[in-house]
Amino acid sequence: SIVAMGNMANVVWQSIDWWGPPFNGNGYIYLRRYNLSSNTWGPVEEIATFYPESQTYPATPVIDAASLSSDGSNDIKRIAWKNPYGIQVRDCNYGSWGNIGAVSGTHGNCSYPSIANYNGDHYALSWVDASAEAIKYTECYYETWSGNWSFNNSAQVSPYGWYMNQRPSLTAGYESGSCTARKVSIAWQSVDNVVEGVSVHVRQANFACNNWGNVTSYSIPVGGVQPHPAIGSYVSNGKLGLVWNVLNDVYVATYEPGWGWSGPNLLASGSN
């Protein structure tokens, strides 16, 4: 996962040293900074360790940031990843790493976190709870003065009764509202819920209000596909873009405040 602002980029990834039974091995979450203007890499930082259950264990670390600076001293960023006990998070505030937090309500069957910054040390977080086949959500706060984590406004985003919900993608953007101007949007895929076959869904809520709106869905009349939806925001004007793939085609749907969702339109096509 990567986040870039101005001339700086931060990259996170996992690495596993696998020894095999009975000790299996060690897993690591690493981060490295890149300066685009000078084309130079900083040192590799070890952010966390975990004990993988297999050689191909998917920790799937993700990163987002409120600010990045050339020397790292003003960095405000957060990393989330999966370990065998649940989703974990770690905060960097003005260049200093805080305590690792275990996300409330997560366990070993939770995976594929997605994280987006709200403001400063306030972040939104979503993931898959495979035991419930559901998309879950929380807002995570880190108190730098106490070293404590708190998790608020937790919710199940996918409707109850739906199953095989997978691959959440989260973004945060601005849109005027009675509660707050900050809005979160989560996209995901599911099977045999709205229609027979695969569908891509998106659901939105005003940040900190917990008032989730209706689900907007796009059905895919092709079996056996993995659309892997991804959503992003144009923060300056509240517009959103939602993209996904169907075999060799890439589709896009767009959201504009006051008008809602439109599309999908074919964005790209071809075997390459």
Side-chain angles (χ1 to χ4, degrees):
S1 177
I2 185 170
V3 62
M5 291 183 176
N7 289 323
M8 297 306 302
N10 278 210
V11 185
V12 296
W13 71 96
Q14 73 173 67
S15 178
I16 293 177
D17 290 338
W18 186 253
W19 309 326
F23 303 108
N24 289 342
N26 288 329
Y28 305 92
I29 305 297
Y30 289 122
L31 177 141
R32 199 173 189 189
R33 295 167 51 80
Y34 177 65
N35 190 315
L36 286 76
S37 60
S38 62
N39 193 27
T40 56
W41 286 96
V44 175
E45 298 181 62
E46 182 183 302
I47 304 302
T49 61
F50 61 94
Y51 297 104
E53 298 172 328
S54 69
Q55 191 172 1
T56 57
Y57 183 83
T60 59
V62 291
I63 184 173
D64 199 23
S67 68
L68 297 176
S69 62
S70 58
D71 60 0
S73 61
N74 291 318
D75 280 11
I76 300 175
K77 58 197 176 188
R78 188 159 295 172
I79 297 173
W81 66 94
K82 165 187 170 66
N83 79 4
Y85 305 102
I87 304 298
Q88 293 194 314
V89 285
R90 195 172 189 189
D91 177 87
C92 180
N93 200 289
Y94 291 99
S96 177
W97 288 99
N99 297 329
I100 293 175
V103 178
S104 297
T106 67
H107 45 77
N109 285 329
C110 296
S111 60
Y112 289 105
S114 183
I115 194 167
N117 175 258
Y118 161 53
N119 183 21
D121 60 354
H122 296 178
Y123 285 74
L125 178 69
S126 65
W127 66 92
V128 176
D129 184 340
S131 61
E133 299 188 28
I135 307 299
K136 300 292 185 68
Y137 168 85
T138 194
E139 293 153 20
C140 47
Y141 304 83
Y142 183 68
E143 297 177 343
T144 56
W145 58 272
S146 68
N148 295 327
W149 285 91
S150 62
F151 303 96
N152 302 316
N153 291 324
S154 298
Q156 177 169 316
V157 179
S158 56
Y160 288 89
W162 285 21
Y163 62 99
M164 294 187 71
N165 299 282
Q166 302 168 335
R167 296 277 185 169
S169 177
L170 169 69
T171 192
Y174 288 98
E175 182 176 348
S176 61
S178 59
C179 180
T180 176
R182 196 64 164 169
K183 194 169 189 176
V184 293
S185 303
I186 300 179
W188 75 96
Q189 67 185 50
S190 75
V191 178
D192 292 343
N193 289 305
V194 175
V195 296
E196 183 177 353
V198 180
S199 298
V200 170
H201 314 282
V202 61
R203 196 174 188 186
Q204 302 171 288
N206 282 338
F207 196 89
C209 302
N210 207 24
N211 55 343
W212 290 92
N214 295 328
V215 178
T216 297
S217 301
Y218 300 95
S219 60
I220 300 170
V222 179
V225 301
Q226 292 288 329
H228 296 174
I231 191 169
S233 64
Y234 302 90
V235 176
S236 61
N237 55 19
K239 293 183 179 180
L240 300 173
L242 170 63
V243 296
W244 65 91
N245 69 278
V246 182
L247 300 178
N248 293 328
D249 297 327
V250 178
Y251 290 90
V252 59
T254 56
Y255 175 87
E256 185 167 355
W259 296 93
W261 287 96
S262 61
N265 297 310
L266 183 64
L267 182 65
S269 182
S271 60
N272 293 324

